[in-house]
Amino acid sequence: MEALTPPERAVLVLHEAFDMSHAEVADILGISPRTVHKHLQRIYQKLGVETRTAAVVRAMQLRGAPRAPRE
């Protein structure tokens, strides 16, 4: 799997983890909302996912974040 670039990681953190819109992420990073959209397309492709939730979960798995305990 191809690694995320620093700009892609920034977009993922702001957009997904903080639930920001494309416009909000674009404003913070000084890029256009269309660029945010393109970054997200590449992120989803690189992570092998199709949804926002799946991208966050996959990114957490790759970082080795602890999983919720099983009951």
Side-chain angles (χ1 to χ4, degrees), residues 46-68:
K46 288 179 179 182
L47 296 178
V49 299
E50 296 180 9
T51 67
R52 166 187 294 223
T53 302
V56 171
V57 169
R58 184 70 180 124
M60 289 172 60
Q61 290 171 341
L62 292 172
R63 284 194 309 261
R67 295 183 181 165

Side-chain angles (χ1 to χ4, degrees), residues 8 11 15-16 20 58 61 66 68 71:
E8 289 168 347
V11 166
H15 183 67
E16 311 297 348
M20 293 184 170
R58 184 70 180 124
Q61 290 171 341
E71 294 183 23

